[in-house]
Amino acid sequence: MPEGRTHVKEDEERHETRIADALKARPVAARAATAAETVFRLDDVHVYYSRFLALRGVTLDVGKNEITAFIGPSGCGKSTLIRCLNRMNDLIPGARVEGKVEYHDQDLYGDGVDPVEVRRRIGMVFQKPNPFPKSIYENVAFGPRVIGMKPSSMDDLVEQSLRDAAVWDEVKDKLKQNALALSGGQQQRLCIARAIAVSPDVILMDEPCSALDPVSTARIEDLMDELKRDYTIVIVTHNMQQAARVSDRTAFFTAEAAEGTGDRTGLLVEYDRTDAIFTHPSDKRTEDYITGRFG
């Protein structure tokens, strides 16, 4: 075998080994193929930005108290799709969604549905930590105050949210300090605390660890595993080892270029239990991606 092809083969084998190790490290119960109550049901979803078709024909279900990962190369519509789940795309001029997006059997885009209430029930954590330029305490208390929540004790709500986000012990003595003084990993966990303070049902995470160091990433991953006991989580990630470590189900997306224009439209290739996606994918495009042959 030529030397160049030998190196490629070795790289693929190392890539597969890392993913296999990530799968082995997960608890067996997390990989069990148990049926879950459906939280989201998507049927033939297309997303447009004006005339541009960004994503086409997505059909999948998201189960309750599961972590669902969206993976795939850049430009395949992962972030576009996750933003459909709490109508964040409504804020983009020219964006429109066709097809059906149901949340607990209710049409998210139906007449009379309040997008603000949608975003309360379906919180979001973004790629880059974005705490408000306020104190740590006020970052967490802000959401409950804005939506008119009346907890018996705001102090207790703030503490519990920070505890649930695994950051209380690191900030409990500096709650009045500016949140921007925290490290990147602490800021991201604060943003998670801010999201769960309004008692959501679902937490969406759009590449929440891409800007973090390995130690902070590990803490966020451990936190996700704890949070899924109480929340349904959907995560976009470019890190396939991360998807293998934390998710119960994985959806692989790719993009196809339109003839003539070259515009790239995302599409769902395969959706299954995470261990099946990474060990026995049914589509060669999935296999090529997870083994590092493209993407």
Side-chain angles (χ1 to χ4, degrees):
M1 182 181 292
E3 183 177 353
R5 293 189 63 185
T6 300
H7 291 320
V8 170
K9 183 66 173 177
E10 290 174 348
D11 288 343
E12 290 177 359
E13 290 175 349
R14 283 195 294 269
H15 194 77
E16 292 172 353
T17 298
R18 287 195 296 270
I19 290 175
D21 289 344
L23 287 169
K24 290 176 183 176
R26 300 178 55 202
V28 173
R31 298 201 299 271
T34 55
E37 175 188 338
T38 298
V39 174
F40 291 106
R41 176 167 286 119
L42 281 63
D43 184 18
D44 197 28
V45 171
H46 293 59
V47 185
Y48 292 84
Y49 296 115
S50 297
R51 295 183 178 180
F52 170 58
L53 177 60
L55 189 66
R56 65 173 171 85
V58 175
T59 297
L60 59 79
D61 293 348
V62 173
K64 182 178 177 64
N65 298 117
E66 290 187 338
I67 300 176
T68 300
F70 294 168
I71 65 170
S74 297
C76 68
K78 304 183 300 294
S79 292
T80 292
L81 184 61
I82 201 173
R83 289 165 184 259
C84 291
L85 300 181
N86 71 343
R87 297 188 54 169
M88 287 294 291
N89 283 331
D90 289 12
L91 306 176
I92 302 175
R96 75 180 190 276
V97 177
E98 296 182 356
K100 185 75 73 174
V101 181
E102 291 185 345
Y103 168 67
H104 292 296
D105 298 322
Q106 181 176 3
D107 184 359
L108 269 184
Y109 290 81
D111 294 339
V113 175
D114 181 2
V116 175
E117 177 62 16
V118 168
R119 294 177 199 128
R120 185 198 70 76
R121 297 187 182 210
I122 307 169
M124 192 156 196
V125 176
F126 296 92
Q127 178 176 357
K128 183 178 179 181
N130 59 344
F132 301 139
K134 300 174 178 286
S135 71
I136 295 168
Y137 184 100
E138 289 300 324
N139 262 268
V140 181
F142 180 83
R145 285 174 177 160
V146 165
I147 67 172
M149 286 178 64
K150 299 186 183 300
S152 57
S153 169
M154 184 63 75
D155 289 351
D156 290 346
L157 176 61
V158 169
E159 177 178 343
Q160 190 59 52
S161 299
L162 292 168
R163 284 187 182 277
D164 289 347
V167 72
W168 169 255
D169 288 341
E170 297 165 50
V171 303
K172 62 184 178 182
D173 296 325
K174 46 186 177 184
L175 294 177
K176 294 183 179 180
Q177 293 185 18
N178 194 304
L180 298 178
L182 297 173
S183 69
Q186 290 172 329
Q187 287 185 15
Q188 193 66 302
R189 282 179 284 148
L190 174 62
C191 291
I192 293 172
R194 188 175 67 193
I196 63 181
V198 296
S199 301
D201 176 47
V202 177
I203 303 174
L204 309 177
M205 298 184 172
D206 192 357
E207 297 190 59
C209 302
S210 64
L212 304 182
D213 61 81
V215 173
S216 296
T217 294
R219 287 179 177 171
I220 296 291
E221 290 179 1
D222 289 343
L223 175 58
M224 282 190 280
D225 192 56
E226 294 174 11
L227 288 174
K228 79 170 186 176
R229 300 170 190 169
D230 299 309
Y231 308 96
T232 299
I233 298 174
V234 183
I235 178 174
V236 168
T237 180
H238 276 97
N239 185 330
M240 283 180 287
Q241 288 79 33
Q242 180 175 78
R245 285 191 296 265
V246 305
S247 69
D248 300 290
R249 299 181 187 272
T250 297
F252 168 62
F253 295 80
T254 192
E256 293 181 348
E259 292 185 10
T261 65
D263 289 340
R264 290 168 57 83
T265 296
L267 68 151
L268 175 63
V269 174
E270 187 171 353
Y271 180 49
D272 205 339
R273 300 291 303 184
T274 293
D275 53 347
I277 287 286
F278 284 104
T279 59
H280 301 291
S282 61
D283 192 294
K284 189 174 186 304
R285 291 170 293 179
T286 309
E287 180 181 359
D288 288 346
Y289 182 74
I290 65 177
T291 56
R293 294 190 182 101
F294 85 96

